[in-house]
mmCIF file of all heavy atoms in Angstrom:
data_model
loop_
_atom_site.group_PDB
_atom_site.id
_atom_site.type_symbol
_atom_site.label_atom_id
_atom_site.label_comp_id
_atom_site.label_asym_id
_atom_site.label_seq_id
_atom_site.Cartn_x
_atom_site.Cartn_y
_atom_site.Cartn_z
ATOM 1 N N ALA A 365 11.878 -35.384 -28.037
ATOM 2 C CA ALA A 365 11.600 -36.283 -29.148
ATOM 3 C C ALA A 365 12.667 -37.357 -29.276
ATOM 4 O O ALA A 365 12.361 -38.519 -29.598
ATOM 5 C CB ALA A 365 11.497 -35.490 -30.444
ATOM 6 N N ALA A 366 13.925 -36.991 -29.035
ATOM 7 C CA ALA A 366 15.002 -37.978 -29.132
ATOM 8 C C ALA A 366 14.813 -39.093 -28.113
ATOM 9 O O ALA A 366 15.018 -40.277 -28.416
ATOM 10 C CB ALA A 366 16.350 -37.300 -28.941
ATOM 11 N N ARG A 367 14.399 -38.751 -26.900
ATOM 12 C CA ARG A 367 14.198 -39.774 -25.870
ATOM 13 C C ARG A 367 12.997 -40.655 -26.198
ATOM 14 O O ARG A 367 13.033 -41.866 -25.952
ATOM 15 C CB ARG A 367 14.018 -39.110 -24.511
ATOM 16 C CG ARG A 367 15.262 -38.368 -24.042
ATOM 17 C CD ARG A 367 15.150 -37.915 -22.595
ATOM 18 N NE ARG A 367 16.243 -37.022 -22.237
ATOM 19 C CZ ARG A 367 16.527 -36.630 -20.998
ATOM 20 N NH1 ARG A 367 15.753 -37.045 -19.993
ATOM 21 N NH2 ARG A 367 17.532 -35.809 -20.762
ATOM 22 N N LEU A 368 11.954 -40.056 -26.757
ATOM 23 C CA LEU A 368 10.739 -40.826 -27.039
ATOM 24 C C LEU A 368 10.856 -41.683 -28.289
ATOM 25 O O LEU A 368 10.347 -42.812 -28.326
ATOM 26 C CB LEU A 368 9.549 -39.871 -27.183
ATOM 27 C CG LEU A 368 8.999 -39.278 -25.884
ATOM 28 C CD1 LEU A 368 8.087 -38.105 -26.186
ATOM 29 C CD2 LEU A 368 8.262 -40.336 -25.077
ATOM 30 N N PHE A 369 11.497 -41.159 -29.337
ATOM 31 C CA PHE A 369 11.467 -41.842 -30.628
ATOM 32 C C PHE A 369 12.812 -42.420 -31.067
ATOM 33 O O PHE A 369 12.838 -43.298 -31.926
ATOM 34 C CB PHE A 369 10.973 -40.876 -31.710
ATOM 35 C CG PHE A 369 9.569 -40.396 -31.502
ATOM 36 C CD1 PHE A 369 9.307 -39.067 -31.194
ATOM 37 C CD2 PHE A 369 8.494 -41.268 -31.602
ATOM 38 C CE1 PHE A 369 8.017 -38.615 -31.010
ATOM 39 C CE2 PHE A 369 7.195 -40.825 -31.406
ATOM 40 C CZ PHE A 369 6.954 -39.495 -31.113
ATOM 41 N N CYS A 370 13.911 -41.916 -30.522
ATOM 42 C CA CYS A 370 15.242 -42.365 -30.958
ATOM 43 C C CYS A 370 15.996 -43.132 -29.878
ATOM 44 O O CYS A 370 17.113 -43.595 -30.138
ATOM 45 C CB CYS A 370 16.084 -41.165 -31.393
ATOM 46 S SG CYS A 370 15.341 -40.114 -32.645
ATOM 47 N N ALA A 371 15.427 -43.235 -28.680
ATOM 48 C CA ALA A 371 16.120 -43.874 -27.552
ATOM 49 C C ALA A 371 17.502 -43.265 -27.360
ATOM 50 O O ALA A 371 18.500 -43.957 -27.148
ATOM 51 C CB ALA A 371 16.220 -45.381 -27.762
ATOM 52 N N ALA A 372 17.561 -41.944 -27.447
ATOM 53 C CA ALA A 372 18.837 -41.239 -27.352
ATOM 54 C C ALA A 372 18.618 -39.887 -26.701
ATOM 55 O O ALA A 372 17.485 -39.392 -26.610
ATOM 56 C CB ALA A 372 19.463 -41.062 -28.729
ATOM 57 N N SER A 373 19.719 -39.302 -26.247
ATOM 58 C CA SER A 373 19.709 -37.930 -25.748
ATOM 59 C C SER A 373 20.217 -37.023 -26.850
ATOM 60 O O SER A 373 20.738 -37.480 -27.870
ATOM 61 C CB SER A 373 20.577 -37.816 -24.498
ATOM 62 O OG SER A 373 20.548 -36.502 -23.975
ATOM 63 N N ALA A 374 20.050 -35.710 -26.673
ATOM 64 C CA ALA A 374 20.496 -34.757 -27.688
ATOM 65 C C ALA A 374 21.379 -33.698 -27.029
ATOM 66 O O ALA A 374 22.400 -34.028 -26.430
ATOM 67 C CB ALA A 374 19.294 -34.154 -28.400
ATOM 68 N N ASP A 375 20.983 -32.437 -27.097
ATOM 69 C CA ASP A 375 21.820 -31.349 -26.603
ATOM 70 C C ASP A 375 21.409 -30.834 -25.227
ATOM 71 O O ASP A 375 21.965 -29.858 -24.752
ATOM 72 C CB ASP A 375 21.773 -30.179 -27.585
ATOM 73 C CG ASP A 375 22.290 -30.569 -28.956
ATOM 74 O OD1 ASP A 375 23.344 -31.229 -29.011
ATOM 75 O OD2 ASP A 375 21.631 -30.238 -29.952
ATOM 76 N N ALA A 376 20.416 -31.452 -24.611
ATOM 77 C CA ALA A 376 19.915 -30.960 -23.327
ATOM 78 C C ALA A 376 19.730 -32.129 -22.365
ATOM 79 O O ALA A 376 18.596 -32.479 -22.009
ATOM 80 C CB ALA A 376 18.613 -30.185 -23.521
ATOM 81 N N PRO A 377 20.806 -32.766 -21.936
ATOM 82 C CA PRO A 377 20.674 -33.948 -21.065
ATOM 83 C C PRO A 377 19.987 -33.655 -19.742
ATOM 84 O O PRO A 377 19.402 -34.552 -19.139
ATOM 85 C CB PRO A 377 22.124 -34.391 -20.856
ATOM 86 C CG PRO A 377 22.958 -33.185 -21.173
ATOM 87 C CD PRO A 377 22.213 -32.438 -22.232
ATOM 88 N N ASP A 378 20.029 -32.400 -19.304
ATOM 89 C CA ASP A 378 19.384 -32.020 -18.044
ATOM 90 C C ASP A 378 18.106 -31.218 -18.291
ATOM 91 O O ASP A 378 17.712 -30.394 -17.461
ATOM 92 C CB ASP A 378 20.361 -31.204 -17.189
ATOM 93 C CG ASP A 378 21.613 -31.990 -16.829
ATOM 94 O OD1 ASP A 378 21.489 -33.196 -16.540
ATOM 95 O OD2 ASP A 378 22.714 -31.409 -16.865
ATOM 96 N N ASP A 379 17.448 -31.473 -19.413
ATOM 97 C CA ASP A 379 16.268 -30.703 -19.780
ATOM 98 C C ASP A 379 15.174 -30.820 -18.725
ATOM 99 O O ASP A 379 14.726 -31.929 -18.397
ATOM 100 C CB ASP A 379 15.732 -31.201 -21.119
ATOM 101 C CG ASP A 379 14.473 -30.474 -21.535
ATOM 102 O OD1 ASP A 379 14.537 -29.244 -21.677
ATOM 103 O OD2 ASP A 379 13.441 -31.144 -21.704
ATOM 104 N N PRO A 380 14.696 -29.692 -18.183
ATOM 105 C CA PRO A 380 13.634 -29.761 -17.170
ATOM 106 C C PRO A 380 12.323 -30.326 -17.716
ATOM 107 O O PRO A 380 11.562 -30.959 -16.983
ATOM 108 C CB PRO A 380 13.460 -28.299 -16.736
ATOM 109 C CG PRO A 380 14.698 -27.602 -17.172
ATOM 110 C CD PRO A 380 15.177 -28.318 -18.383
ATOM 111 N N GLY A 381 12.048 -30.089 -19.010
ATOM 112 C CA GLY A 381 10.815 -30.615 -19.576
ATOM 113 C C GLY A 381 10.754 -32.125 -19.507
ATOM 114 O O GLY A 381 9.698 -32.705 -19.220
ATOM 115 N N CYS A 382 11.875 -32.782 -19.758
ATOM 116 C CA CYS A 382 11.920 -34.242 -19.660
ATOM 117 C C CYS A 382 11.750 -34.689 -18.212
ATOM 118 O O CYS A 382 11.166 -35.750 -17.944
ATOM 119 C CB CYS A 382 13.233 -34.765 -20.237
ATOM 120 S SG CYS A 382 13.340 -34.602 -22.044
ATOM 121 N N ALA A 383 12.252 -33.893 -17.282
ATOM 122 C CA ALA A 383 12.056 -34.229 -15.863
ATOM 123 C C ALA A 383 10.576 -34.174 -15.494
ATOM 124 O O ALA A 383 10.067 -35.041 -14.774
ATOM 125 C CB ALA A 383 12.869 -33.278 -14.979
ATOM 126 N N TRP A 384 9.859 -33.152 -15.993
ATOM 127 C CA TRP A 384 8.426 -33.050 -15.708
ATOM 128 C C TRP A 384 7.655 -34.238 -16.288
ATOM 129 O O TRP A 384 6.661 -34.689 -15.710
ATOM 130 C CB TRP A 384 7.865 -31.751 -16.284
ATOM 131 C CG TRP A 384 8.176 -30.535 -15.470
ATOM 132 C CD1 TRP A 384 9.105 -29.584 -15.736
ATOM 133 C CD2 TRP A 384 7.558 -30.151 -14.235
ATOM 134 N NE1 TRP A 384 9.119 -28.629 -14.759
ATOM 135 C CE2 TRP A 384 8.166 -28.946 -13.817
ATOM 136 C CE3 TRP A 384 6.554 -30.694 -13.451
ATOM 137 C CZ2 TRP A 384 7.806 -28.280 -12.653
ATOM 138 C CZ3 TRP A 384 6.178 -30.028 -12.282
ATOM 139 C CH2 TRP A 384 6.794 -28.840 -11.888
#
Side-chain angles (χ1 to χ4, degrees):
R367 295 190 190 191
L368 285 165
F369 297 112
C370 306
S373 182
D375 299 315
D378 299 321
D379 178 59
C382 290
W384 282 104

